[in-house]
């Protein structure tokens, strides 16, 4: 058994070429990744997490309708001039610092939405022969300490292996996730022995579900090139990872933090509530507003 993962990740891939059908009609014009939690779009949270983990090259896999993502990370000359002229220095700093200095963005087009595995394969030339991260921005991970990717990247570097973020899910929910079987699980990680995409509860090898953070060996590209469409007729990253297990070590990593599935309505609402209640300026007002709404709507009674 060999492993090619010995170096620290520097490049992060953000697959953002999906259709976002669960948020139609909003996603008719606004990409799902640009939906905000308070005042930052989902993509900004994922980018911040990648930069914190040490990435300086951000690779976005987009499609021809997602100009908003590229525009967001581009310089906004006119807006900056107007903010400067109006003396709005705080806002000017926010607009200028969506990316810190020295961080590079690269946009690659996925011409057809053939699946997450195919989207990752589109990054092959840009990544080359080094380990890299994949972050799905609609999985938002909230943590007061280090971000999930930093935790994983540290663990993967220490173990010279690939790593996939996992969380425990209710057994009846396995059909909504990639599910892993592991061995020797201790100190938040275990070696993956099997990974299955969306198994029925009776077929699921465990309740450990894959969450949208990966540290991957570049060997995954060769495997993706020969991966045929799987679940849902899509080229699945999970299927290529199952083949990666045959000749490299891939760890499951149970991160510290709370994950919100912002690809669903309830997940986006939950994340908004959590970030509002944790917000230094908004938390009191948000808590009052929620309490009042619950009482007014008769959801809870106060005696
Ligand atoms: P999802 O299936 O959650 O995203 O894909 P979606 O297709 O945009 O959403 P719905 O189900 O229609 O509402 C997981 C991630 O993979 C990306 C998506 O953008 C999302 O970040 N993806 C998916 C691609 O980049 N390309 C694809 O072909 C498929």
């Amino acid at each position: 058994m060999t492993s090619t993962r010995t170096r620290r990740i520097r490049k992060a891939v953000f697959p953002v070429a999906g259709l976002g059908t669960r948020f139609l009609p909003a996603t008719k014009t606004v990409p799902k990744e640009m939906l905000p939690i308070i005042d930052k779009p989902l993509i900004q949270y994922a980018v911040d997490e990648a930069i914190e983990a040490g990435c300086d090259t951000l690779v976005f896999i987009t499609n021809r309708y997602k100009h908003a993502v590229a525009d967001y990370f581009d310089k906004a000359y006119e807006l900056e001039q107007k903010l400067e002229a109006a003396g709005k220095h705080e806002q000017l700093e926010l607009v200028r610092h969506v990316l810190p200095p020295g961080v590079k963005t690269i946009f690659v087009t996925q011409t057809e939405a053939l699946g997450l595995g195919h989207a990752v394969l589109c990054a092959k030339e840009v990544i080359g022969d080094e380990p890299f991260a994949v972050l799905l921005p609609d999985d938002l991970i909230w943590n007061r300490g280090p971000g999930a990717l930093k935790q994983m990247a540290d663990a993967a570097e220490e173990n010279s292996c690939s790593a996939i973020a996992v969380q425990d899910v209710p057994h009846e929910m396995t059909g909504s996730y990639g599910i892993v079987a592991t061995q020797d699980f201790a100190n938040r990680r275990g070696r993956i022995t099997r990974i299955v995409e969306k198994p029925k509860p009776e077929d699921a090898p465990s309740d450990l579900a894959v969450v949208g953070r990966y540290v991957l060996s570049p060997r995954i590209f060769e495997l993706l090139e020969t991966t045929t469409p799987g679940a849902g007729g899509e080229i699945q990253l999970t299927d290529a990872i199952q083949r990666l297990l045959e000749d490299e070590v891939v760890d499951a990593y149970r991160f510290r933090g709370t994950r919100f599935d912002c690809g669903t309505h309830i997940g986006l609402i939950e994340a908004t509530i959590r970030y509002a209640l944790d917000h230094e300026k908004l938390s009191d007002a948000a808590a009052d507003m929620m309490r009042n709404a619950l009482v007014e709507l008769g959801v809870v009674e106060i005696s």
Side-chain angles (χ1 to χ4, degrees), residues 127-189:
I127 301 296
D129 188 27
E130 58 182 287
F132 64 102
V134 176
L135 298 97
L136 306 190
D138 46 6
D139 270 339
L140 176 59
I141 302 180
W142 179 86
N143 190 38
R144 285 216 171 94
L149 189 68
K150 169 145 176 54
Q151 299 170 40
M152 286 171 69
D154 290 347
E157 189 177 29
E158 197 182 303
N159 251 12
S160 291
C161 65
S162 296
I164 299 178
V166 293
Q167 70 169 32
D168 298 283
V169 294
H171 190 61
E172 65 275 14
M173 294 294 291
T174 58
S176 304
Y177 295 92
I179 299 290
V180 296
T182 57
Q183 65 184 30
D184 305 329
F185 207 102
N187 294 329
R188 301 199 163 268
R189 65 203 204 201

Side-chain angles (χ1 to χ4, degrees), residues 15-23 32-33 61 66 110 112-116 119 136-138 234 263:
V16 294
L19 301 177
T21 54
R22 283 171 287 180
F23 279 99
K32 176 171 69 173
E33 301 74 22
I61 312 300
K66 300 242 174 158
Q110 183 189 27
E112 227 183 316
L114 297 179
L116 176 59
L136 306 190
D138 46 6
E234 296 195 334

Side-chain angles (χ1 to χ4, degrees), residues 271-286:
T272 303
I273 291 174
R274 176 69 65 102
Y275 278 75
L277 291 174
D278 193 49
H279 194 283
E280 60 170 351
K281 291 188 187 148
L282 299 176
S283 65
D284 289 348

Side-chain angles (χ1 to χ4, degrees), residues 7 11 15 21 43 48 55 70 79 95 102 109 121 131 142 248 283:
R7 287 169 288 161
K11 295 177 181 168
T21 54
I43 191 73
D48 291 348
C55 296
L79 177 62
V95 170
T109 302
L121 180 57
W142 179 86
E248 291 191 15
S283 65

Side-chain angles (χ1 to χ4, degrees), residues 42-238:
L42 286 170
I43 191 73
Q44 179 78 62
Y45 290 93
V47 158
D48 291 348
E49 194 183 317
I51 293 169
E52 184 210 10
C55 296
D56 61 9
T57 304
L58 313 177
V59 185
F60 300 90
I61 312 300
T62 68
N63 65 34
R64 61 188 163 281
Y65 305 109
K66 300 242 174 158
H67 298 292
V69 178
D71 290 348
Y72 178 77
F73 289 107
D74 205 353
K75 199 165 166 58
Y77 290 103
E78 255 188 51
L79 177 62
E80 287 186 20
Q81 275 172 3
K82 283 185 182 156
L83 291 172
E84 193 147 33
K88 298 195 166 181
H89 301 294
E90 204 180 315
Q91 290 86 342
L92 183 61
E93 286 309 294
L94 289 173
V95 170
R96 277 193 179 147
H97 291 112
V98 292
L99 287 178
V103 172
K104 192 160 85 176
T105 55
I106 297 172
F107 293 84
V108 179
T109 302
Q110 183 189 27
T111 46
E112 227 183 316
L114 297 179
L116 176 59
H118 181 261
V120 172
L121 180 57
C122 292
K124 181 180 177 220
E125 273 73 34
V126 180
I127 301 296
D129 188 27
E130 58 182 287
F132 64 102
V134 176
L135 298 97
L136 306 190
D138 46 6
D139 270 339
L140 176 59
I141 302 180
W142 179 86
N143 190 38
R144 285 216 171 94
L149 189 68
K150 169 145 176 54
Q151 299 170 40
M152 286 171 69
D154 290 347
E157 189 177 29
E158 197 182 303
N159 251 12
S160 291
C161 65
S162 296
I164 299 178
V166 293
Q167 70 169 32
D168 298 283
V169 294
H171 190 61
E172 65 275 14
M173 294 294 291
T174 58
S176 304
Y177 295 92
I179 299 290
V180 296
T182 57
Q183 65 184 30
D184 305 329
F185 207 102
N187 294 329
R188 301 199 163 268
R189 65 203 204 201
R191 181 156 162 190
I192 301 179
T193 53
R194 194 151 76 91
I195 182 166
V196 199
E197 187 62 32
K198 303 188 171 63
K200 291 188 197 135
E202 58 271 32
D203 301 326
S206 76
D207 295 341
L208 272 184
V210 174
V211 166
R213 302 288 183 276
Y214 308 76
V215 173
L216 292 172
S217 145
R219 166 106 170 95
I220 199 75
F221 293 122
E222 281 169 55
L223 299 170
L224 281 169
E225 273 170 340
T226 53
T227 297
T228 48
E234 296 195 334
I235 296 175
Q236 296 287 353
L237 182 58
T238 306

